[in-house]
Amino acid sequence: MKQRWQVLLGISLGLVALAAGLLAGRSTTEGWQLAARWTARAGFPLLILTYSASSLARLWPGPQTRALLRERRFWGLGFAACHMIHLAALITFLRLSGTQRPLPTLLGGGLAYVLLIAMALTSTDAAMRRLGRWWKRLHTFGIHWLWFIFAFSYVGRIARPETRMIGLIGGGIAIAALGLRIAARIKTRRSASVSSAAVSR
Ligand code: HEM
């Protein structure tokens, strides 16, 4: 139970973002649009922490990074809880505004939600054992797809002057997180080749 606080944090961040959007909007529809925008923003740090946990622990081993890695599942569940609030906000906004999103957006975002729900439902030791190597495939592909949707959404905002700043910040954070994963992989490969050279000596 003590590790469930990340889930409560995700729910709280999502609800605060939702309430802030509804209060800030000059009309009901604008309120729900801001709620959709800000709930996505609120969940982003949780996703980035989940995505970077193993890389941080590999690059800078220590009590904090080890604790993050140990509790990564709960950070992921916190993100899932927060992002379900994004789903509720975006559905309400799309219904009120009568606007449509392009099909590729719906397919990409829809797949992200299918993966997110599947990952949340299988985030137990029992599911890990039952699914075997499929568990790893699902969670590796899923976390990268979620990262990709964020990176794509933010980088796409750089082109428009009114969203450039948030695009640069969000896109920069997403690319930096990918950089951490690449650096961690290089470090693992290097230490594996150093230890196999030491064994063969
Ligand atoms: C079919 C599914 C989805 C739809 C229809 C959708 C729709 C929306 C809408 C209406 C907004 C507010 C747009 C605005 O700024 O005016 C938004 C913002 C956003 N959504 Fe979603 N969304 C979906 C899924 C996702 C997923 C799965 C992710 C990430 C994994 C995501 C990430 C974002 C981001 C990064 C923003 C911008 C937040 C910001 O401005 O900081 N969305 N989305």
Side-chain angles (χ1 to χ4, degrees):
M1 187 64 202
K2 68 179 181 353
Q3 286 160 341
R4 305 287 153 86
W5 67 270
Q6 290 94 341
V7 181
L8 290 179
L9 176 68
I11 295 171
S12 311
L13 288 173
L15 290 177
V16 167
L18 178 80
L22 294 181
L23 286 173
R26 283 160 300 178
S27 66
T28 311
T29 308
E30 193 194 28
W32 282 102
Q33 180 178 19
L34 291 176
R37 193 180 294 169
W38 292 350
T39 49
R41 227 171 262 190
F44 185 49
L46 303 178
L47 188 272
I48 289 295
L49 275 179
T50 312
Y51 182 74
S52 312
S54 62
S55 313
L56 290 170
R58 238 179 274 173
L59 291 169
W60 296 286
Q64 268 119 359
T65 52
R66 264 195 293 274
L68 175 65
L69 181 59
R70 212 171 36 245
E71 294 170 15
R72 178 175 51 175
R73 174 185 297 178
F74 298 100
W75 287 104
L77 286 172
F79 167 71
C82 188
H83 218 57
M84 293 319 280
I85 300 174
H86 178 61
L87 182 63
L90 73 87
I91 289 174
T92 312
F93 166 64
L94 293 178
R95 286 181 67 176
L96 285 176
S97 64
T99 52
Q100 293 281 345
R101 294 279 138 173
L103 188 61
T105 304
L106 294 179
L107 291 179
L111 175 61
Y113 273 109
V114 170
L115 290 166
L116 182 62
I117 292 166
M119 288 160 80
L121 292 176
T122 56
S123 68
T124 60
D125 293 339
M128 222 170 160
R129 278 192 300 273
R130 230 186 1 261
L131 292 177
R133 65 167 63 163
W134 282 102
W135 188 93
K136 179 122 183 85
R137 283 178 187 154
L138 167 67
H139 284 254
T140 304
F141 178 69
I143 195 84
H144 279 98
W145 189 254
L146 291 163
W147 170 88
F148 171 74
I149 300 288
F150 268 110
F152 189 77
S153 307
Y154 278 128
V155 169
R157 279 166 165 71
I158 295 174
R160 276 176 284 138
E162 67 275 19
T163 53
R164 181 158 300 146
M165 192 46 80
I166 189 67
L168 283 170
I169 295 170
I173 294 172
I175 302 295
L178 178 65
L180 279 181
R181 287 188 74 112
I182 294 170
R185 184 163 277 233
I186 292 171
K187 187 179 177 189
T188 307
R189 288 232 174 110
R190 281 211 185 126
S191 46
S193 63
V194 166
S195 49
S196 69
V199 166
S200 61
R201 239 186 255 141

